[in-house]
Amino acid sequence: MNKVKIFGDSCCDLPRELREKYDIDYVKMNVVIDGEEKPASLDWDVFSPEEFYGYMRRGIRTTTTQVPTKEYIERFTPVLEAGDDIVYIACSGVLSGSYNTSRVVAAQLKEKYPEREIHCIDALNSCLGQGMLLLKAAELRDEGKSASEIAGTVSDLRLNVNQFATVDSLDALKRAGRVKGSKAFFGNLFGVKPIIISDVNGQNVPVKKVKGRVASLDEIVAMMKDAITDAENQTVYVGHADCREDCELLAEKVKAATGCRDTYIFDIGPIIGASVGPSMIVLYAFGKKVEIAG
């Protein structure tokens, strides 16, 4: 059986600690800050989280690009030449064009390396929801599963990834085209905080509106408590966009409410961060199958 290399992309937000532990690689997208394009590194070696979210707090225009075709070719080719197969778990196809690009590149590379397997999977998730599927893929690889077996199991698990998120301000969602300007204005004015999930199509959709930061954080904990399964054997991933103090307090609430084995705090990376803005908080865990179609 061929060795299997697991790839994600800049949307997966897996810290170096977890990527190294589970031997997971990723292909880079780019962020564009005030017209200057920079690699979207998950190691924060181009700028720190404080610097990045500081740009956004100052109103500096921040956008993103998908994974370039050249990046796929340069990163995948050495793996295939070494005789290994590839499982690439991409950011949700409705949030990024990277998944579709990867399939085109994979078809081209298969012509050159017909004996190799290249599986490109739409995660139907982003951020650590995508990252959780990568971790599962790595566990399956280490159990000796083939690339096709890994791809099948991961595909079946996608809708069991539960995401509950809230933002402190609607400004970034407005700039990203996720909410209308008028809704953002009045939402900010009255302190409305949306509760955002990843739906069956991989789209981030608001399912509730809560007034006030504290109430919104309590709500996502309550929703996670209701959704999580096998909590005592699970890690709940708690992510933040430069608001670590809030995140640490929330992690304590999550553990008390759900009885989960442990929690893992991570920084929301530059690609997701560019869309959601500073002070977003999100929870991820495996649980009940997502059935909402936004």
Side-chain angles (χ1 to χ4, degrees):
M1 187 181 297
N2 296 328
K3 292 182 180 179
V4 181
K5 186 65 177 177
I6 309 296
F7 278 93
D9 53 46
S10 292
C11 276
C12 74
D13 287 351
L14 279 176
R16 177 186 291 176
E17 173 191 29
L18 293 180
R19 298 197 317 272
E20 290 182 347
K21 179 179 179 180
Y22 290 91
D23 188 22
I24 295 169
D25 207 343
Y26 74 105
V27 287
K28 289 186 178 70
M29 300 169 171
N30 295 295
V31 291
V32 184
I33 301 173
D34 203 19
E36 183 178 357
E37 190 167 285
K38 301 174 184 288
S41 169
L42 299 181
D43 296 331
W44 297 100
D45 48 11
V46 179
F47 37 70
S48 69
E50 294 78 14
E51 290 173 324
F52 177 74
Y53 289 109
Y55 297 142
M56 299 189 74
R57 287 188 172 101
R58 297 197 300 274
I60 295 174
R61 180 170 171 76
T62 306
T63 58
T64 64
T65 75
Q66 67 179 54
V67 179
T69 297
K70 182 181 178 181
E71 172 80 352
Y72 283 119
I73 294 172
E74 290 181 349
R75 301 301 305 285
F76 285 2
T77 298
V79 176
L80 300 171
E81 288 184 344
D84 298 342
D85 296 330
I86 291 173
V87 173
Y88 166 54
I89 303 175
C91 174
S92 171
V94 299
L95 301 178
S96 169
S98 296
Y99 169 63
N100 287 330
T101 300
S102 74
R103 295 180 66 195
V104 173
V105 173
Q108 295 171 350
L109 290 173
K110 278 287 289 180
E111 292 181 2
K112 188 174 181 180
Y113 304 95
E115 70 283 7
R116 301 276 73 84
E117 291 186 29
I118 310 171
H119 296 270
C120 299
I121 303 168
D122 181 345
L124 299 180
N125 288 275
S126 59
C127 196
L128 237 297
Q130 178 187 356
M132 287 170 56
L133 295 173
L134 286 160
L135 295 174
K136 183 62 177 179
E139 290 176 358
L140 293 167
R141 175 206 58 206
D142 294 345
E143 291 172 4
K145 303 297 185 184
S146 68
S148 59
E149 289 173 323
I150 294 168
T153 299
V154 167
S155 295
D156 290 342
L157 280 174
R158 293 177 296 176
L159 293 182
N160 290 105
V161 174
N162 281 257
Q163 166 192 294
F164 303 107
T166 188
V167 295
D168 195 39
S169 168
L170 299 175
D171 291 339
L173 294 176
K174 178 188 72 175
R175 288 193 294 270
R178 306 297 186 191
V179 298
K180 293 181 179 180
S182 59
K183 287 187 176 180
F185 174 80
F186 286 109
N188 288 337
L189 182 64
F190 294 108
V192 173
K193 315 296 180 185
I195 306 300
I196 302 167
I197 69 161
S198 182
D199 76 354
V200 296
N201 300 309
Q203 183 64 270
N204 287 321
V205 297
V207 292
K208 290 186 179 181
K209 297 176 183 177
V210 181
K211 190 170 183 180
R213 175 73 163 178
V214 173
S216 69
L217 298 180
D218 287 343
E219 182 62 26
I220 63 174
V221 171
M223 293 177 75
M224 178 57 76
K225 179 181 178 181
D226 180 65
I228 193 171
T229 54
D230 193 27
E232 63 274 13
N233 293 312
Q234 273 213 68
T235 296
V236 176
Y237 295 90
V238 188
H240 70 100
D242 196 29
C243 56
R244 188 173 184 90
E245 186 174 336
D246 283 356
C247 194
E248 289 174 345
L249 292 172
L250 190 70
E252 293 177 5
K253 288 186 176 183
V254 168
K255 194 162 188 177
T258 66
C260 63
R261 180 182 61 198
D262 52 25
T263 58
Y264 187 97
I265 294 174
F266 68 95
D267 290 300
I268 294 173
I271 295 295
I272 303 300
S275 294
V276 301
S279 298
M280 178 191 179
I281 283 188
V282 61
L283 304 177
Y284 287 103
F286 287 113
K288 298 175 183 176
K289 189 172 183 178
V290 175
E291 296 180 342
I292 294 174

